[in-house]
mmCIF file of all heavy atoms in Angstrom:
data_model
loop_
_atom_site.group_PDB
_atom_site.id
_atom_site.type_symbol
_atom_site.label_atom_id
_atom_site.label_comp_id
_atom_site.label_asym_id
_atom_site.label_seq_id
_atom_site.Cartn_x
_atom_site.Cartn_y
_atom_site.Cartn_z
ATOM 1 N N THR A 69 32.177 11.769 42.155
ATOM 2 C CA THR A 69 32.375 10.330 42.056
ATOM 3 C C THR A 69 33.306 10.053 40.880
ATOM 4 O O THR A 69 33.461 10.891 39.978
ATOM 5 C CB THR A 69 31.041 9.596 41.824
ATOM 6 O OG1 THR A 69 30.505 9.989 40.543
ATOM 7 C CG2 THR A 69 30.050 9.935 42.920
ATOM 8 N N ARG A 70 33.915 8.886 40.882
ATOM 9 C CA ARG A 70 34.813 8.530 39.770
ATOM 10 C C ARG A 70 34.025 8.406 38.469
ATOM 11 O O ARG A 70 34.550 8.692 37.388
ATOM 12 C CB ARG A 70 35.535 7.220 40.099
ATOM 13 C CG ARG A 70 36.529 7.366 41.246
ATOM 14 C CD ARG A 70 37.469 6.204 41.348
ATOM 15 N NE ARG A 70 38.498 6.452 42.356
ATOM 16 C CZ ARG A 70 39.580 5.713 42.508
ATOM 17 N NH1 ARG A 70 39.784 4.651 41.745
ATOM 18 N NH2 ARG A 70 40.479 6.015 43.433
ATOM 19 N N LYS A 71 32.786 7.998 38.578
ATOM 20 C CA LYS A 71 31.929 7.927 37.395
ATOM 21 C C LYS A 71 31.741 9.308 36.779
ATOM 22 O O LYS A 71 31.780 9.473 35.557
ATOM 23 C CB LYS A 71 30.571 7.333 37.786
ATOM 24 C CG LYS A 71 29.619 7.089 36.627
ATOM 25 C CD LYS A 71 28.341 6.432 37.113
ATOM 26 C CE LYS A 71 27.397 6.178 35.945
ATOM 27 N NZ LYS A 71 26.147 5.518 36.408
ATOM 28 N N GLU A 72 31.564 10.321 37.622
ATOM 29 C CA GLU A 72 31.396 11.694 37.137
ATOM 30 C C GLU A 72 32.683 12.223 36.523
ATOM 31 O O GLU A 72 32.633 12.966 35.522
ATOM 32 C CB GLU A 72 30.966 12.595 38.296
ATOM 33 C CG GLU A 72 29.537 12.379 38.757
ATOM 34 C CD GLU A 72 29.188 13.217 39.981
ATOM 35 O OE1 GLU A 72 30.100 13.437 40.818
ATOM 36 O OE2 GLU A 72 28.033 13.651 40.091
ATOM 37 N N ILE A 73 33.827 11.870 37.091
ATOM 38 C CA ILE A 73 35.117 12.333 36.567
ATOM 39 C C ILE A 73 35.344 11.813 35.152
ATOM 40 O O ILE A 73 35.741 12.556 34.247
ATOM 41 C CB ILE A 73 36.269 11.899 37.503
ATOM 42 C CG1 ILE A 73 36.159 12.618 38.854
ATOM 43 C CG2 ILE A 73 37.627 12.190 36.864
ATOM 44 C CD1 ILE A 73 37.120 12.114 39.914
ATOM 45 N N VAL A 74 35.071 10.526 34.941
ATOM 46 C CA VAL A 74 35.232 9.939 33.608
ATOM 47 C C VAL A 74 34.199 10.512 32.641
ATOM 48 O O VAL A 74 34.513 10.849 31.494
ATOM 49 C CB VAL A 74 35.122 8.402 33.670
ATOM 50 C CG1 VAL A 74 35.160 7.806 32.264
ATOM 51 C CG2 VAL A 74 36.249 7.821 34.522
ATOM 52 N N ALA A 75 32.950 10.630 33.099
ATOM 53 C CA ALA A 75 31.886 11.171 32.249
ATOM 54 C C ALA A 75 32.220 12.585 31.793
ATOM 55 O O ALA A 75 31.988 12.946 30.627
ATOM 56 C CB ALA A 75 30.560 11.152 33.005
ATOM 57 N N ALA A 76 32.782 13.401 32.699
ATOM 58 C CA ALA A 76 33.149 14.774 32.348
ATOM 59 C C ALA A 76 34.193 14.797 31.235
ATOM 60 O O ALA A 76 34.151 15.668 30.352
ATOM 61 C CB ALA A 76 33.671 15.500 33.582
ATOM 62 N N LYS A 77 35.128 13.858 31.287
ATOM 63 C CA LYS A 77 36.167 13.787 30.247
ATOM 64 C C LYS A 77 35.550 13.464 28.887
ATOM 65 O O LYS A 77 35.887 14.076 27.869
ATOM 66 C CB LYS A 77 37.205 12.738 30.615
ATOM 67 C CG LYS A 77 38.244 13.205 31.622
ATOM 68 C CD LYS A 77 39.130 14.286 31.017
ATOM 69 C CE LYS A 77 40.253 14.685 31.960
ATOM 70 N NZ LYS A 77 41.068 15.777 31.389
ATOM 71 N N TYR A 78 34.663 12.488 28.865
ATOM 72 C CA TYR A 78 34.087 12.041 27.588
ATOM 73 C C TYR A 78 33.079 13.049 27.039
ATOM 74 O O TYR A 78 33.061 13.318 25.829
ATOM 75 C CB TYR A 78 33.441 10.659 27.765
ATOM 76 C CG TYR A 78 34.428 9.525 27.612
ATOM 77 C CD1 TYR A 78 35.290 9.181 28.653
ATOM 78 C CD2 TYR A 78 34.526 8.807 26.425
ATOM 79 C CE1 TYR A 78 36.210 8.149 28.520
ATOM 80 C CE2 TYR A 78 35.439 7.775 26.275
ATOM 81 C CZ TYR A 78 36.275 7.457 27.327
ATOM 82 O OH TYR A 78 37.202 6.435 27.175
ATOM 83 N N ILE A 79 32.243 13.621 27.914
ATOM 84 C CA ILE A 79 31.293 14.631 27.463
ATOM 85 C C ILE A 79 32.035 15.905 27.063
ATOM 86 O O ILE A 79 31.741 16.519 26.033
ATOM 87 C CB ILE A 79 30.260 14.938 28.561
ATOM 88 C CG1 ILE A 79 29.403 13.701 28.842
ATOM 89 C CG2 ILE A 79 29.369 16.112 28.155
ATOM 90 C CD1 ILE A 79 28.490 13.833 30.037
ATOM 91 N N GLY A 80 33.026 16.282 27.872
ATOM 92 C CA GLY A 80 33.821 17.463 27.563
ATOM 93 C C GLY A 80 34.546 17.334 26.229
ATOM 94 O O GLY A 80 34.652 18.307 25.475
ATOM 95 N N ALA A 81 35.027 16.130 25.932
ATOM 96 C CA ALA A 81 35.731 15.908 24.667
ATOM 97 C C ALA A 81 34.811 16.177 23.477
ATOM 98 O O ALA A 81 35.229 16.759 22.467
ATOM 99 C CB ALA A 81 36.269 14.477 24.605
ATOM 100 N N ILE A 82 33.545 15.772 23.602
ATOM 101 C CA ILE A 82 32.579 16.021 22.527
ATOM 102 C C ILE A 82 32.329 17.522 22.375
ATOM 103 O O ILE A 82 32.298 18.056 21.263
ATOM 104 C CB ILE A 82 31.253 15.278 22.797
ATOM 105 C CG1 ILE A 82 31.471 13.764 22.791
ATOM 106 C CG2 ILE A 82 30.205 15.656 21.758
ATOM 107 C CD1 ILE A 82 30.246 12.960 23.194
ATOM 108 N N VAL A 83 32.155 18.205 23.515
ATOM 109 C CA VAL A 83 31.914 19.654 23.491
ATOM 110 C C VAL A 83 33.088 20.384 22.846
ATOM 111 O O VAL A 83 32.900 21.226 21.945
ATOM 112 C CB VAL A 83 31.687 20.186 24.922
ATOM 113 C CG1 VAL A 83 31.629 21.720 24.922
ATOM 114 C CG2 VAL A 83 30.414 19.605 25.517
ATOM 115 N N TYR A 84 34.301 20.055 23.270
ATOM 116 C CA TYR A 84 35.486 20.728 22.732
ATOM 117 C C TYR A 84 35.751 20.339 21.285
ATOM 118 O O TYR A 84 36.293 21.138 20.523
ATOM 119 C CB TYR A 84 36.700 20.430 23.612
ATOM 120 C CG TYR A 84 36.597 21.066 24.983
ATOM 121 C CD1 TYR A 84 36.809 20.325 26.143
ATOM 122 C CD2 TYR A 84 36.270 22.418 25.108
ATOM 123 C CE1 TYR A 84 36.698 20.917 27.400
ATOM 124 C CE2 TYR A 84 36.150 23.008 26.356
ATOM 125 C CZ TYR A 84 36.369 22.252 27.503
ATOM 126 O OH TYR A 84 36.248 22.836 28.732
ATOM 127 N N MET A 85 35.373 19.125 20.909
ATOM 128 C CA MET A 85 35.500 18.716 19.509
ATOM 129 C C MET A 85 34.618 19.589 18.626
ATOM 130 O O MET A 85 35.059 20.092 17.576
ATOM 131 C CB MET A 85 35.114 17.243 19.359
ATOM 132 C CG MET A 85 35.186 16.709 17.929
ATOM 133 S SD MET A 85 33.606 16.744 17.053
ATOM 134 C CE MET A 85 32.685 15.478 17.913
ATOM 135 N N ILE A 86 33.370 19.789 19.038
ATOM 136 C CA ILE A 86 32.436 20.614 18.258
ATOM 137 C C ILE A 86 32.936 22.058 18.173
ATOM 138 O O ILE A 86 32.953 22.665 17.089
ATOM 139 C CB ILE A 86 31.029 20.564 18.887
ATOM 140 C CG1 ILE A 86 30.457 19.145 18.771
ATOM 141 C CG2 ILE A 86 30.096 21.569 18.210
ATOM 142 C CD1 ILE A 86 29.172 18.935 19.555
ATOM 143 N N LEU A 87 33.346 22.616 19.317
ATOM 144 C CA LEU A 87 33.833 24.008 19.329
ATOM 145 C C LEU A 87 35.102 24.169 18.492
ATOM 146 O O LEU A 87 35.238 25.142 17.730
ATOM 147 C CB LEU A 87 34.106 24.445 20.772
ATOM 148 C CG LEU A 87 32.889 24.588 21.682
ATOM 149 C CD1 LEU A 87 33.323 24.921 23.105
ATOM 150 C CD2 LEU A 87 31.937 25.663 21.161
ATOM 151 N N SER A 88 36.020 23.212 18.602
ATOM 152 C CA SER A 88 37.291 23.296 17.873
ATOM 153 C C SER A 88 37.073 23.198 16.372
ATOM 154 O O SER A 88 37.691 23.940 15.592
ATOM 155 C CB SER A 88 38.231 22.188 18.340
ATOM 156 O OG SER A 88 38.546 22.324 19.702
ATOM 157 N N ILE A 89 36.199 22.288 15.965
ATOM 158 C CA ILE A 89 35.906 22.158 14.535
ATOM 159 C C ILE A 89 35.220 23.426 14.017
ATOM 160 O O ILE A 89 35.492 23.885 12.899
ATOM 161 C CB ILE A 89 35.031 20.908 14.274
ATOM 162 C CG1 ILE A 89 35.887 19.648 14.419
ATOM 163 C CG2 ILE A 89 34.397 20.964 12.886
ATOM 164 C CD1 ILE A 89 35.133 18.355 14.203
ATOM 165 N N GLY A 90 34.349 24.009 14.848
ATOM 166 C CA GLY A 90 33.694 25.257 14.447
ATOM 167 C C GLY A 90 34.692 26.387 14.240
ATOM 168 O O GLY A 90 34.640 27.096 13.226
ATOM 169 N N VAL A 91 35.604 26.552 15.190
ATOM 170 C CA VAL A 91 36.634 27.592 15.081
ATOM 171 C C VAL A 91 37.543 27.325 13.884
ATOM 172 O O VAL A 91 37.874 28.232 13.114
ATOM 173 C CB VAL A 91 37.459 27.685 16.379
ATOM 174 C CG1 VAL A 91 38.641 28.636 16.203
ATOM 175 C CG2 VAL A 91 36.584 28.148 17.534
ATOM 176 N N ALA A 92 37.962 26.072 13.717
ATOM 177 C CA ALA A 92 38.829 25.711 12.589
ATOM 178 C C ALA A 92 38.126 25.974 11.266
ATOM 179 O O ALA A 92 38.749 26.461 10.307
ATOM 180 C CB ALA A 92 39.240 24.236 12.691
ATOM 181 N N GLY A 93 36.831 25.676 11.215
ATOM 182 C CA GLY A 93 36.064 25.926 9.992
ATOM 183 C C GLY A 93 36.030 27.394 9.631
ATOM 184 O O GLY A 93 36.172 27.772 8.457
ATOM 185 N N ILE A 94 35.852 28.253 10.642
ATOM 186 C CA ILE A 94 35.829 29.705 10.408
ATOM 187 C C ILE A 94 37.189 30.185 9.908
ATOM 188 O O ILE A 94 37.279 30.975 8.958
ATOM 189 C CB ILE A 94 35.439 30.448 11.701
ATOM 190 C CG1 ILE A 94 33.982 30.139 12.065
ATOM 191 C CG2 ILE A 94 35.642 31.958 11.539
ATOM 192 C CD1 ILE A 94 33.562 30.652 13.420
ATOM 193 N N ILE A 95 38.260 29.695 10.535
ATOM 194 C CA ILE A 95 39.613 30.111 10.139
ATOM 195 C C ILE A 95 39.911 29.673 8.706
ATOM 196 O O ILE A 95 40.412 30.468 7.893
ATOM 197 C CB ILE A 95 40.665 29.528 11.102
ATOM 198 C CG1 ILE A 95 40.512 30.159 12.496
ATOM 199 C CG2 ILE A 95 42.083 29.771 10.572
ATOM 200 C CD1 ILE A 95 41.380 29.517 13.553
ATOM 201 N N LEU A 96 39.585 28.438 8.380
ATOM 202 C CA LEU A 96 39.834 27.947 7.018
ATOM 203 C C LEU A 96 39.016 28.730 5.997
ATOM 204 O O LEU A 96 39.501 29.030 4.896
ATOM 205 C CB LEU A 96 39.502 26.454 6.926
ATOM 206 C CG LEU A 96 40.392 25.502 7.738
ATOM 207 C CD1 LEU A 96 39.968 24.051 7.530
ATOM 208 C CD2 LEU A 96 41.865 25.664 7.365
ATOM 209 N N TYR A 97 37.796 29.071 6.355
ATOM 210 C CA TYR A 97 36.939 29.862 5.459
ATOM 211 C C TYR A 97 37.544 31.244 5.213
ATOM 212 O O TYR A 97 37.581 31.742 4.077
ATOM 213 C CB TYR A 97 35.535 29.981 6.050
ATOM 214 C CG TYR A 97 34.609 30.872 5.257
ATOM 215 C CD1 TYR A 97 34.000 30.411 4.088
ATOM 216 C CD2 TYR A 97 34.354 32.185 5.669
ATOM 217 C CE1 TYR A 97 33.158 31.228 3.349
ATOM 218 C CE2 TYR A 97 33.512 33.008 4.945
ATOM 219 C CZ TYR A 97 32.919 32.525 3.788
ATOM 220 O OH TYR A 97 32.089 33.348 3.055
ATOM 221 N N LEU A 98 38.020 31.880 6.283
ATOM 222 C CA LEU A 98 38.605 33.224 6.163
ATOM 223 C C LEU A 98 39.863 33.215 5.296
ATOM 224 O O LEU A 98 40.178 34.222 4.649
ATOM 225 C CB LEU A 98 38.930 33.779 7.555
ATOM 226 C CG LEU A 98 37.724 34.107 8.449
ATOM 227 C CD1 LEU A 98 38.188 34.545 9.834
ATOM 228 C CD2 LEU A 98 36.858 35.186 7.810
ATOM 229 N N PHE A 99 40.589 32.092 5.290
ATOM 230 C CA PHE A 99 41.805 31.984 4.491
ATOM 231 C C PHE A 99 41.555 31.290 3.150
ATOM 232 O O PHE A 99 42.495 30.843 2.488
ATOM 233 C CB PHE A 99 42.886 31.233 5.283
ATOM 234 C CG PHE A 99 43.552 32.072 6.336
ATOM 235 C CD1 PHE A 99 43.008 32.191 7.602
ATOM 236 C CD2 PHE A 99 44.717 32.772 6.056
ATOM 237 C CE1 PHE A 99 43.616 32.968 8.574
ATOM 238 C CE2 PHE A 99 45.333 33.557 7.016
ATOM 239 C CZ PHE A 99 44.780 33.660 8.276
ATOM 240 N N ASN A 100 40.276 31.202 2.772
ATOM 241 C CA ASN A 100 39.877 30.628 1.475
ATOM 242 C C ASN A 100 40.395 29.191 1.272
ATOM 243 O O ASN A 100 40.796 28.819 0.165
ATOM 244 C CB ASN A 100 40.375 31.520 0.326
ATOM 245 C CG ASN A 100 39.721 32.884 0.353
ATOM 246 O OD1 ASN A 100 38.513 33.003 0.544
ATOM 247 N ND2 ASN A 100 40.522 33.928 0.173
ATOM 248 N N TYR A 101 40.405 28.443 2.356
ATOM 249 C CA TYR A 101 40.813 27.038 2.286
ATOM 250 C C TYR A 101 39.538 26.224 2.065
ATOM 251 O O TYR A 101 38.675 26.148 2.927
ATOM 252 C CB TYR A 101 41.498 26.618 3.589
ATOM 253 C CG TYR A 101 42.273 25.325 3.501
ATOM 254 C CD1 TYR A 101 43.656 25.325 3.504
ATOM 255 C CD2 TYR A 101 41.606 24.109 3.442
ATOM 256 C CE1 TYR A 101 44.370 24.141 3.437
ATOM 257 C CE2 TYR A 101 42.312 22.920 3.367
ATOM 258 C CZ TYR A 101 43.687 22.935 3.371
ATOM 259 O OH TYR A 101 44.377 21.755 3.295
ATOM 260 N N ASP A 102 39.415 25.643 0.874
ATOM 261 C CA ASP A 102 38.178 24.958 0.506
ATOM 262 C C ASP A 102 37.977 23.672 1.306
ATOM 263 O O ASP A 102 38.902 22.870 1.465
ATOM 264 C CB ASP A 102 38.184 24.616 -0.989
ATOM 265 C CG ASP A 102 38.131 25.871 -1.841
ATOM 266 O OD1 ASP A 102 37.566 26.877 -1.375
ATOM 267 O OD2 ASP A 102 38.662 25.831 -2.971
ATOM 268 N N TYR A 103 36.769 23.487 1.782
ATOM 269 C CA TYR A 103 36.396 22.234 2.448
ATOM 270 C C TYR A 103 34.890 22.049 2.306
ATOM 271 O O TYR A 103 34.159 22.967 1.927
ATOM 272 C CB TYR A 103 36.799 22.250 3.924
ATOM 273 C CG TYR A 103 36.101 23.292 4.771
ATOM 274 C CD1 TYR A 103 34.894 23.017 5.408
ATOM 275 C CD2 TYR A 103 36.657 24.562 4.948
ATOM 276 C CE1 TYR A 103 34.255 23.974 6.184
ATOM 277 C CE2 TYR A 103 36.028 25.519 5.731
ATOM 278 C CZ TYR A 103 34.824 25.218 6.345
ATOM 279 O OH TYR A 103 34.197 26.157 7.106
ATOM 280 N N MET A 104 34.442 20.846 2.610
ATOM 281 C CA MET A 104 33.022 20.521 2.498
ATOM 282 C C MET A 104 32.510 19.989 3.840
ATOM 283 O O MET A 104 33.306 19.613 4.708
ATOM 284 C CB MET A 104 32.804 19.472 1.403
ATOM 285 C CG MET A 104 33.301 19.899 0.034
ATOM 286 S SD MET A 104 33.231 18.555 -1.186
ATOM 287 C CE MET A 104 31.455 18.323 -1.318
ATOM 288 N N ILE A 105 31.195 19.956 3.984
ATOM 289 C CA ILE A 105 30.586 19.394 5.195
ATOM 290 C C ILE A 105 31.038 17.954 5.374
ATOM 291 O O ILE A 105 31.217 17.470 6.494
ATOM 292 C CB ILE A 105 29.051 19.470 5.111
ATOM 293 C CG1 ILE A 105 28.590 20.927 5.038
ATOM 294 C CG2 ILE A 105 28.409 18.771 6.315
ATOM 295 C CD1 ILE A 105 28.959 21.744 6.265
ATOM 296 N N ARG A 106 31.266 17.274 4.256
ATOM 297 C CA ARG A 106 31.733 15.885 4.306
ATOM 298 C C ARG A 106 33.056 15.780 5.061
ATOM 299 O O ARG A 106 33.266 14.828 5.820
ATOM 300 C CB ARG A 106 31.917 15.362 2.871
ATOM 301 C CG ARG A 106 32.472 13.946 2.779
ATOM 302 C CD ARG A 106 32.729 13.595 1.339
ATOM 303 N NE ARG A 106 33.761 14.446 0.767
ATOM 304 C CZ ARG A 106 34.050 14.507 -0.537
ATOM 305 N NH1 ARG A 106 33.362 13.804 -1.396
ATOM 306 N NH2 ARG A 106 35.019 15.299 -0.960
#
Side-chain angles (χ1 to χ4, degrees):
T69 65
R70 292 194 173 192
K71 185 177 181 179
E72 288 175 327
I73 294 172
V74 175
K77 280 293 185 183
Y78 275 79
I79 295 172
I82 296 174
V83 172
Y84 292 130
M85 179 264 290
I86 294 171
L87 292 176
S88 298
I89 286 179
V91 173
I94 293 171
I95 293 172
L96 294 181
Y97 175 78
L98 292 176
F99 283 86
N100 296 316
Y101 195 108
D102 293 331
Y103 64 89
M104 302 172 66
I105 297 298
R106 177 185 64 191

